[in-house]
Every structure is written in C-alpha cells, then in structure tokens.
Amino acid sequence: MEPSVYGLVVLIIIILIGSACCSGVEAAFLAVNSIRILEIASKQKPKSSANQLLKLRKHLGRTLTVITITNNGFNIIGSLILGVYGALVINSSYGLTLFSISFYILVVLVGEVLPKALGTRFSVQIALLSVPILRILHTLMRPFLVLIEQIFPVITAENEISTDEEEIRQMAKIGSQKGLIEADEAAMIFKVFQLNDLKAKDLMIPRVSAPCLDGSSNLEEISKLIMADNSPWWVILGDKVDKIQGVVPRERMLAELINGENKKLLSEICEPVDYIPEMIKADQLLTRFDKNHKGVKVVVDEFGGFVGIIGAEAVLSVLALSLIHISEPTRPERIAVGGLWVKKK
C-alpha cells in the first residue's frame, strides 16, 4: 500500500486523540476531589465506577505510571512512525520541516494544553469515564508495572483520604467566601472546633457568683429571694461551703410555695448533685448533659472542692453566639451562661 496524504491525516488524528485522552485523564486524576468521589461512592454499589475510581486513586502512583506509559507511547512512538510516514509522503525537505513544526504545535495545543484544561474543569466526570479503560490497561501492563515498582518502590505508596481540623476550617472559610455555604454555617463549624479547646472552668459560673441557699432554711424564709431572682437553679449548701446537699430548680420551690408547703426545708426538696471536674472539655460535657438531662451540674476542682456551676446553655451558647454576632448588628446585653441570664461584658 502506497503512503498517502489520507493515511498521514488518519495517523495524525490517532496520535492527537490518544495524547489528548491521556493528558485529560492525567489532569482529571490529579485535580479530582477525593472527598467528592467518596461521597458519590457511598451512594452506589461496591463495584460501581466511583468505588473503582477510589481504588485507582488510592494507588495514584501506579495509575499515573499507566497513564504516562500510554501517553508517551502515543507521543514518542507515534511521532517516530509519523515522521517516517511523513517523509515518504512529503518529498520536500522544506515541506517536511514545516510539517514537523505544525505537528508539534498541534500536539502542544490539542494533545496537551486543551485536554488538561478540560480535565481540570470536568475532573469528576472524566475520571469516572476513564475507569474501565484504566482497569484494562492496568491488567495489560501488570508485569511491566511489577518490574517498575521493584525499581522505584515509591510508586507503590498508598494515598489515604484524610483531613484535619485546620483543613476543614480553611474549606469552610473558602466555601463561605465563595458563597457555597452560608456565613453562619461556617461560623458554626469554627465554634464546634472551639468546643474542644474550652473547659468547664472557662464556661461555669464561679462559686462566688453562683446562686446558693442554706439547706436549713425553709421555703417561707427564702420566698422573697426566689421571687426577686429568676435564677433557674439553686445550689443547696450544708453547714460548710464545700458541703453540697443538692440542687433545686426554681420552679420546684415556687410549686411547693403554691401548694402551701412553706415550712418545708430546702434540704428536703433538693435533688442529687451531678459533679463534674473543672478540666473536662466542653464537647465531652455536652455528652454528659445528653446522658443526664439534669439542667445544671456542680463543678469541682482536683480536690473535690466546689468551684462553680454550669448548665447546658453555657456550652450551647458558644455555638449560638456565632449566629448572634452574624445576624444582629448590635450585641445582646444578656446571654445564657451556666443556666443563668447574665449581663454581657
């Protein structure tokens, strides 16, 4: 069969398509968001394209080796064949030089620049579409891959999907700036991480400010006090400061007064105390409130001494205040801390 211009054009098209596909897939694999693929894979069957893509992405060095070998096959071997074939078709040395320069420009633009831009832009779609072909190439090149991995062990390194607190913070910040998530949602994420840095002693009402009553007093004696003070919980003390007999909600004392139980002692109506250490972290404290729905807990130091009280509102206010600062132009004068409404500094 005599060399012809038609055969030359077909050979050019094959090389350009092969090179473009390899370049686009390589760019897509490097640009694809693993978290996004993991999200898609979780909604599909185990043998779906997304799950297979995760496996290929896990051994990224091996996958990129397959793509590189294929791409160089088109670019180098294809170019050598094309050069020989072009020399037979084009008799003029000037024409052959012009053809070589033109082909180089086509490879750079059509075979590299454009497909890589598209691969980056549509990374998820292109990466998913390439999975079946890459699996076939993996199988065909396995003996060669094993040899290369013996020479360059770094290729076998696995890429685990992972993230950390700072990365999540940055993603939330970028998402908020780009308008992909609401500003209050980003602020809430930041505050959730802050819970791990705060301790009970940072959020509690200290003992000197905690609402306390003498357990030997009866309801009649303290009726005016609880009418004037709207603190939801009171600590009932014994004969010593650190001797706590229990805690009692304000509603319970008001209900007893309405029922005519004026002479009943506070020590008789108080509830058992739930003690927590002052160094417990705020996120762990939320779990304690979830298991025990009592509205207030007594905070103690390392020696068991009474240092303050805290309510679930104190922990939740850390999250809620992020929304208040965003939604309200002026700062609220009072906030819930430790189950009490106190003035904000």
Side-chain angles (χ1 to χ4, degrees):
M1 182 177 178
E2 291 293 329
S4 64
V5 175
Y6 175 78
L8 185 64
V9 172
V10 172
L11 189 57
I12 291 173
I13 292 174
I14 292 174
I15 294 173
L16 289 177
I17 291 176
S19 178
C21 290
C22 292
S23 298
V25 171
E26 181 181 8
F29 261 81
L30 292 174
V32 71
N33 190 323
S34 299
I35 303 298
R36 175 62 177 156
I37 297 300
L38 184 62
E39 178 188 354
I40 297 174
S42 64
K43 302 175 183 177
Q44 298 182 358
K45 297 180 179 179
K47 294 185 178 181
S48 64
S49 296
N51 282 282
Q52 296 299 326
L53 177 57
L54 280 177
K55 293 180 181 179
L56 293 174
R57 195 74 173 73
K58 184 177 181 180
H59 299 88
L60 186 58
R62 184 181 301 169
T63 303
L64 291 179
T65 301
V66 170
I67 297 173
T68 301
I69 292 172
T70 308
N71 194 16
N72 283 309
F74 283 104
N75 288 339
I76 297 175
I77 299 177
S79 297
L80 290 174
I81 296 173
L82 183 66
V84 174
Y85 196 89
L88 296 175
V89 174
I90 304 171
N91 296 322
S92 170
S93 59
Y94 174 78
L96 187 60
T97 302
L98 185 61
F99 168 75
S100 300
I101 295 174
S102 301
F103 178 71
Y104 170 77
I105 295 174
L106 280 175
V107 170
V108 171
L109 296 179
V110 181
E112 295 290 338
V113 176
L114 179 60
K116 285 185 176 180
L118 293 174
T120 304
R121 176 67 178 82
F122 304 101
S123 58
V124 175
Q125 296 88 332
I126 293 176
L128 288 173
L129 287 174
S130 66
V131 168
I133 298 176
L134 285 175
R135 291 185 63 194
I136 294 174
L137 291 176
H138 265 84
T139 303
L140 295 176
M141 297 184 188
R142 183 172 294 277
F144 189 53
L145 289 174
V146 171
L147 177 61
I148 293 178
E149 289 173 356
Q150 293 296 324
I151 301 174
F152 305 107
V154 69
I155 297 175
T156 61
E158 295 185 357
N159 296 271
E160 296 291 343
I161 300 176
S162 62
T163 186
D164 55 26
E165 181 177 324
E166 186 57 34
E167 186 175 344
I168 295 175
R169 287 177 186 267
Q170 291 299 324
M171 287 192 293
K173 182 179 179 180
I174 294 172
S176 176
Q177 293 173 344
K178 297 291 185 180
L180 301 177
I181 63 175
E182 299 293 336
D184 56 349
E185 293 174 338
M188 185 74 76
I189 293 173
F190 297 149
K191 291 297 182 179
V192 168
F193 285 123
Q194 187 179 350
L195 286 181
N196 192 48
D197 302 325
L198 295 174
K199 298 180 176 60
K201 68 175 184 178
D202 301 319
L203 301 172
M204 70 179 184
I205 296 178
R207 182 178 64 184
V208 294
S209 304
C212 300
L213 292 171
D214 188 349
S216 60
S217 303
N218 58 42
L219 289 171
E220 185 177 8
E221 294 172 345
I222 54 90
S223 59
K224 292 183 179 181
L225 177 60
I226 62 173
M227 288 292 185
D229 195 321
N230 62 353
S231 299
W233 287 87
W234 293 77
V235 180
I236 309 304
L237 301 176
D239 53 355
K240 296 180 181 179
V241 175
D242 288 332
K243 184 173 178 57
I244 300 176
Q245 296 181 337
V247 292
V248 60
R250 180 171 181 264
E251 289 81 357
R252 173 75 182 278
M253 292 187 286
L254 293 175
E256 295 289 349
L257 284 171
I258 293 173
N259 293 332
E261 301 291 343
N262 298 21
K263 300 300 181 182
K264 186 173 286 189
L265 298 178
L266 296 177
S267 58
E268 297 175 355
I269 63 172
C270 62
E271 301 176 4
V273 179
D274 187 13
Y275 295 99
I276 59 168
E278 63 178 350
M279 298 303 293
I280 188 173
K281 292 184 178 180
D283 55 345
Q284 297 174 332
L285 184 56
L286 269 181
T287 306
R288 294 282 292 269
F289 277 111
D290 183 56
K291 294 179 179 178
N292 186 340
H293 299 287
K294 187 176 294 184
V296 70
K297 299 183 186 297
V298 174
V299 185
V300 295
D301 58 19
E302 57 184 324
F303 304 106
F306 169 38
V307 294
I309 62 172
I310 190 170
E313 295 89 345
V315 185
L316 296 176
S317 65
V318 176
L319 302 176
L321 282 177
S322 64
L323 303 182
I324 293 173
H325 291 323
I326 293 172
S327 61
E328 295 186 5
T330 58
R331 301 175 67 184
E333 294 182 357
R334 291 160 66 85
I335 58 173
V337 178
L340 297 173
W341 285 94
V342 298
K343 288 185 178 181
K344 192 172 183 182
K345 296 181 180 179

